[in-house]
Each structure stands twice: as structure tokens, then as C-alpha cells.
Amino acid sequence: MISYLLEPIKIGDINLKNRIAMSPMISNLGSPEGYPTDAYIAYLSERAKGGVGLIITEYTYINKLDSRGSVNELGLYSDELTPKFMRLTEMIHALGSKIFVQLVHAGRKTKRDVIWGNTPIAPSPMPLTDEVREMNLNDIRRIKQEFISASIRARRSGFDGVELHGAHGYLLAQFMSPAVNRRNDEYKDGVKLVEEIVHGIKESKTTVGIRLSVTEFDDLGLDPEDVAEIVKRLEKAGIDYVHLSAGRDGPMNSSMPFYYKHLSFLEEIESIRDKIHVPLFVVGSIMNLHDALKAREVADVVVLGRSLLADPYWLKKALTNEPIRPCIRCNQSCRGMVYREVRCDANPELGWEILPPMERGNGEVEVVGGGVMGMEAARVLAKRGFSVTLYEREDKLGGQFLLFKDPWKINEFNSIVDFYKNELERLGVEIKLRSEVNCDNEKCIYAVPEQRSPEPPEIKGKRILIDSTLYPYHDYAFYLAKDNEVYMTEDSLSILDRTRQFLLEENLKEAGVNFVQKATGNFDVIFNERVKDQPTIGKSIQRGYWLGRTFSLR
């Protein structure tokens, strides 16, 4: 069955070696000027080494006036940038993959300080964050030419094609969405602008696709039937492929957390599949091989996003049946990156691909701690060549993962414990459970977090208030609601990714938790710890990685 993912396919005039593509995802690994840094090239190169047929870059802005959405985003606004982009395309081609650049104008989905103090523009004066200016016809003509010029630069830079970002509430999506396009001129039909851009790009014989949201999760916005009509028109304009995602500006978006199903938008896409006559790319919580094969039944190309952040060698490992480091869909370090670089709670090497290979080691090493910190340290040490023994005082591995009460979290997060168990077995790490040792010699690493999560409280028949940003109390609310009257402040979840926050609140309400705006009233028990910085899975795994990477026997 995996052979269905390995079949070649022609997109426009470009031949892909297989049906796996890397999704465009913001990284902020570019330079402030918009060119790909060595760190960005190393980041994408690692995914090309993993065997994907196509890499689509992160969204790339088209002018240095009002199109940028994040501070170190890639930009193709000037010919001066093309030599730097050539370094990227040369490397990806040398590694056997094709590469498209995704072009974007952020429209109203940006801030003044990100676009050099200028005012965001949009089809209609409907602000999202900062005040926006309604575009006039000169603005529209300018933007159209900037997309076309950027596509010419892309071709000069060695890109195999371009993808227009027409999804997720960016400018082209703003034109196409009836929810935010309130114009009264010819561009009230926002698809007209996209058609004109596609015509202009095709004149230079460039392969061009478009990313669209199959649904905007909004009664006033685009739905699958609307999108089917848009695709019909863009096919006539010459579009070479369609890449379907979902979402606009609301809490429901393309990167669904673990509270949402795998293959997040497949049902909506299936409903219009027979109306699409160009190659179809599909993205959305495709986490494992089973998901990818299911998506391939609908799509011509399966697009992996966060899965390739968690493990760049996803495809190669699927072919060899090696343990794949899973994405746990926590949405904590790979989202909300206007001002910071991409990271992954599950993969401590993401963003550090530019580092030299780890030094080889030999000899025996003891690691104390069977949580994710200790397991990651043991994994790294074993890969370096050490003979590793891992000690855990409990009767199973997992550490503080064993305290989880949130059923969705248990289901998704335990996949990373299973990964470590399988990977440590593959690497020959000896595991000793119910064992405590004194870590007081140079051959021993103590890999236990300094801070421990509070234990699940044993409370029954009480009135409880949770006014805390600590993750464990979000988790324990499910448990406490079974035998208590539980209230939680809305602000308690404010540190979470917006989509995760929205869906967690919905699930907690279903479990019986009452949400309030303020912590007022009489309660028998109050949990009100508030922290800006707290222990996380990502920090524990990072700590384990660096303990293993920097360890040496003198």
C-alpha cells in the first residue's frame, strides 16, 4: 500500500518523484531582509534528505511595503535577493527534491510594526488587529504586478514553481471571502484578482498552484461548494494544482490540536473531490502512515506539515519501519511565531539543523530518570555510540506523563512515550525499572526535572475554582469535574494556542466544567497558581537532548 505514496506525478511541467510534499510553515529562520539564512537552508535540507518529493517554502512576501506577516519571513520583493535563494534551490535539488515557493501578501493579517510602520491594507476596511486601509484600484494593480514579479524572481532563483497563498485569511483569501470583501467595484468578485495574477504568472511559463481553505468555519465565509466554484474558474485561468487547507481568522484553523480528529478536513474535501480536475494536494493532521494512505485515496499529493517538523525522516522511516518521532499536535512551539523562531516540543533538533554532527563517544553511561528528559538523553547517548543503561524508580517509563487525566492528551501524548520505548530498544539501551541509583560519578547523568507537576488532588463533593495557568490544572479539571462542582476562569487557558484553547474549553464544558470571566464567589478549594514560565514537555526533551549531546567521559 505504501507504494501509492511513492508513485511519481507531473504537476504543470514539473515531475515529482513521489506523492509526499512538505507543507509551507512559518519558521522565522530567514533573515530580517527576507533571504534564506544558512539555518533555513539546513532546516529544509533535512526534510529533503528525508525523501519528500516536494518542499513548499514558508509564505514569502512580495513587497517591502505592506505584505509581510512576520519579522524574519522570507521575501522575494527584489532582484537583490535572488542569489541567496539560489543557494537554497541548489541544495534542495542536489538532495533530490523539487521546491516551490509560496507567495503571499498578508493584507490585514499583519501589524504596523511588522510592515515597517505602514498601515495594513485590505479589500475592505475591516480591521483584524491594527487599523486597515481599504485598497484602491492602484493598490490592486500594484499588488497584482508584485505577485507576478515575485514569480519571475522565483523562476530566476531556481524554484520549480510557485504557490499562491489564497487561504487562512491572507490578502487573496480576503478578496475571495464574502465575509471580509465588502467592495462595490469590479473586485467585489475577488476571484477576478486571483485569475488575473494566475494569467500573468502563466505568461512566463511558470508552474503555479494555489492554497485555498476548503472551509472558513464561518457561516458568512467560504464553504466547500464556494471553493469548488473558485477552483472551476482558476482551472480555466491555468492553475496547475490546488492545495486544500482550512480556516481564516477564527480559533478554528489549519493546525488542529489533539482535541480534533486526524485527517482534519478530509470530509469537506471529499464532498467536492469530483469537481476538481487538476492535481489535488491535501493537508491537515496527517500524522502517521495510516493517515497518509487514507488521504492518498482522495488526494494526488499528501502534504505533511507538523509531522515533518517532528521527524524530517518520516518517509524514510515509514519505508524501513523505524520508529517515527510523532507530532503530538500540542501547537505550542510551532504556532504563534510572528516574533520568534520555530521549535517543536517533540523534536529538540528543529531549528538547530545547522549544528555540526554530534561527537562520537564510547564507554558506559548511566541515565537516571525514565521520563521524556531521561529517555531523550539515553537516545542521544546511544546514537553517539555510548553503552547506555536507563534507570527508572517506577514500574513503567513515562515520568510525569503518567499523571495525565485529560483523555485526549493521554491518547495523543502517549505516542511519544511509545516512540521512545521502541527507539531505545532499537538502539540497544538497557532499561531497568523499579531501580534507584546514586548518580554521583562522572558516568552518570541525572535527567529528572527540577520542578514536578502537582499530583492529581483527591477531592470529592466540593466547589472548586481553577484560576491557574498551570497546565496540570487544565488537565485535572476533567478528573475533578466527575465528583465536584468545578469552575474555571477563561484567563486560565490564555497561554495556549488559540485553537487548542477554544477546543479545550468546549471539551471541558462537555465534561461539566463551568467557565467564568472572573474569580468571584465562594469556593471550598481554589487553585490559583499563575506562572509566566513553567515546566513543559518541550523543555524537558530539550534538556535531555543537550545533556546527551554535551556529555563526555574525561
Side-chain angles (χ1 to χ4, degrees):
M1 287 292 289
I2 197 170
S3 61
Y4 292 127
L5 300 176
L6 303 178
E7 295 171 342
I9 184 173
K10 190 170 186 178
I11 308 294
D13 60 357
I14 301 299
N15 293 307
L16 305 184
K17 65 183 179 181
N18 61 45
R19 304 299 182 98
I20 298 292
M22 178 180 177
S23 176
M25 290 172 286
I26 177 176
S27 72
N28 264 333
L29 292 170
S31 73
E33 297 80 13
Y35 61 79
T37 61
D38 288 349
Y40 185 79
I41 294 170
Y43 154 69
L44 287 191
S45 295
E46 199 69 6
R47 277 76 201 164
K49 291 176 191 175
V52 298
L54 173 67
I55 288 173
I56 308 172
T57 72
E58 66 178 58
Y59 68 166
T60 301
Y61 62 98
I62 57 171
N63 68 43
K64 203 170 183 182
L65 178 65
D66 48 27
S67 64
R68 189 168 70 164
S70 54
V71 291
N72 283 348
E73 179 185 337
L74 296 185
L76 263 175
Y77 56 86
S78 167
D79 292 343
E80 295 175 353
L81 294 160
T82 57
K84 291 290 188 181
F85 277 95
M86 287 181 72
R87 299 182 75 241
L88 169 63
T89 58
E90 285 174 0
M91 177 62 80
I92 300 304
H93 289 151
L95 293 168
S97 297
K98 303 296 186 185
I99 181 166
F100 291 177
V101 60
Q102 187 187 71
L103 300 178
V104 73
H105 190 296
R108 68 179 192 150
K109 202 169 182 177
T110 189
K111 298 179 179 181
R112 289 180 64 96
D113 62 343
V114 173
I115 53 172
W116 309 280
N118 297 313
T119 300
I121 61 174
S124 303
M126 299 173 64
L128 188 62
T129 51
D130 292 359
E131 180 185 353
V132 302
R133 177 175 65 81
E134 182 175 49
M135 295 170 66
N136 57 40
L137 291 178
N138 286 333
D139 292 320
I140 291 174
R141 283 191 284 269
R142 169 175 65 85
I143 297 300
K144 178 169 62 176
Q145 187 55 53
E146 286 166 347
F147 270 107
I148 295 168
S149 297
S151 72
I152 293 170
R153 292 188 193 101
R155 193 172 179 88
R156 288 176 185 159
S157 301
F159 285 102
D160 300 293
V162 301
E163 178 175 284
L164 301 175
H165 201 338
H168 307 166
Y170 293 104
L171 186 70
L172 296 184
Q174 291 163 29
F175 268 93
M176 290 185 282
S177 176
V180 291
N181 183 346
R182 305 291 174 83
R183 300 180 70 88
N184 293 311
D185 62 8
E186 60 187 303
Y187 290 103
K188 178 176 179 62
D189 172 14
V191 184
K192 174 179 165 61
L193 172 60
V194 184
E195 289 173 319
E196 291 171 352
I197 292 170
V198 171
H199 281 304
I201 293 173
K202 292 301 290 184
E203 285 179 3
S204 65
K205 301 294 190 291
T206 299
T207 294
V208 55
I210 188 165
R211 196 179 214 192
L212 299 170
S213 291
V214 69
T215 174
E216 292 188 320
F217 301 109
D218 178 357
D219 291 340
L220 299 177
L222 295 174
D223 63 23
E225 289 303 314
D226 297 326
V227 172
E229 288 302 311
I230 291 171
V231 171
K232 183 178 178 180
R233 291 177 59 179
L234 295 181
E235 287 176 351
K236 290 179 181 177
I239 206 78
D240 291 303
Y241 73 89
V242 172
H243 178 183
L244 292 183
S245 181
R248 190 178 74 243
D249 308 314
M252 299 285 275
N253 64 37
S254 60
S255 296
M256 288 298 186
F258 52 88
Y259 294 111
Y260 207 75
K261 61 190 174 184
H262 285 205
L263 300 163
S264 298
F265 323 118
L266 203 61
E267 291 176 16
E268 291 88 344
I269 294 169
E270 283 179 314
S271 72
I272 58 170
R273 179 64 182 98
D274 62 353
K275 298 179 182 179
I276 298 174
H277 304 102
V278 292
L280 174 62
F281 291 29
V282 169
V283 75
S285 292
I286 301 169
M287 298 288 108
N288 52 48
L289 183 57
H290 174 269
D291 294 343
L293 292 171
K294 184 81 173 172
R296 177 67 183 87
E297 293 175 7
V298 176
D300 298 295
V301 174
V302 176
V303 184
L304 302 182
R306 292 166 293 172
S307 297
L308 289 177
L309 299 184
D311 199 325
Y313 290 86
W314 187 99
L315 181 57
K316 281 192 173 180
K317 289 181 177 181
L319 291 171
T320 57
N321 205 31
E322 285 185 44
I324 296 172
R325 187 185 289 270
C327 166
I328 55 176
R329 298 198 295 163
C330 62
N331 281 6
Q332 288 305 98
S333 299
C334 62
R335 299 287 298 163
M337 290 180 303
V338 174
Y339 302 109
R340 61 182 178 83
E341 289 184 350
V342 67
R343 292 294 183 267
C344 174
D345 275 16
N347 177 13
E349 295 177 289
L350 179 65
W352 297 103
E353 292 85 356
I354 197 171
L355 292 176
M358 291 185 284
E359 293 181 4
R360 294 292 297 172
N362 61 76
E364 297 181 356
V365 183
E366 297 175 338
V367 177
V368 174
V372 290
M373 183 189 297
M375 290 189 286
E376 175 63 18
R379 181 194 73 86
V380 172
L381 289 163
K383 288 199 74 170
R384 290 180 58 196
F386 290 101
S387 176
V388 183
T389 303
L390 176 66
Y391 294 91
E392 167 56 43
R393 68 182 181 183
E394 304 296 337
D395 60 358
K396 61 178 68 174
L397 296 174
Q400 296 182 56
F401 275 47
L402 303 177
L403 298 177
F404 291 147
K405 298 297 183 182
D406 179 335
W408 286 269
K409 190 179 287 186
I410 291 169
N411 181 58
E412 199 101 21
F413 285 20
N414 277 348
S415 65
I416 203 163
V417 177
D418 293 337
F419 159 75
Y420 278 120
K421 288 177 182 177
N422 294 329
E423 183 69 350
L424 295 182
E425 180 181 359
R426 187 183 74 86
L427 293 171
V429 173
E430 184 178 2
I431 297 172
K432 294 190 175 183
L433 302 175
R434 304 185 194 88
S435 300
E436 293 193 56
V437 297
N438 291 321
C439 196
D440 55 3
N441 62 76
E442 67 170 11
K443 294 183 178 181
C444 184
I445 292 177
Y446 187 72
V448 176
E450 294 178 3
Q451 293 175 275
R452 184 170 176 82
S453 296
E455 297 282 339
E458 293 296 332
I459 305 171
K460 289 188 177 183
K462 301 294 184 181
R463 184 177 162 90
I464 299 171
L465 174 68
I466 298 173
D467 182 28
S468 172
T469 54
L470 277 178
Y471 297 134
Y473 291 123
H474 307 163
D475 185 271
Y476 298 157
F478 286 97
Y479 172 70
L480 292 169
K482 292 179 180 179
D483 299 303
N484 301 278
E485 187 179 347
V486 179
Y487 293 81
M488 181 181 284
T489 59
E490 293 175 355
D491 191 53
S492 294
L493 305 183
S494 61
I495 60 172
L496 299 177
D497 164 73
R498 237 179 9 144
T499 314
R500 179 172 163 184
Q501 178 182 340
F502 174 77
L503 292 173
L504 173 55
E505 184 171 330
E506 291 297 302
N507 284 315
L508 284 171
K509 286 177 180 176
E510 234 177 84
V513 176
N514 304 285
F515 276 83
V516 295
Q517 286 191 331
K518 293 184 179 179
T520 56
N522 296 316
F523 299 95
D524 302 308
V525 181
I526 297 175
F527 300 108
N528 58 4
E529 290 181 72
R530 289 184 166 268
V531 292
K532 290 184 178 178
D533 190 28
Q534 63 179 301
T536 67
I537 293 169
K539 290 175 186 174
S540 290
I541 292 178
Q542 278 186 5
R543 177 65 176 153
Y545 175 78
W546 290 107
L547 283 172
R549 184 179 176 112
T550 59
F551 177 80
S552 63
L553 285 172
R554 295 181 180 84

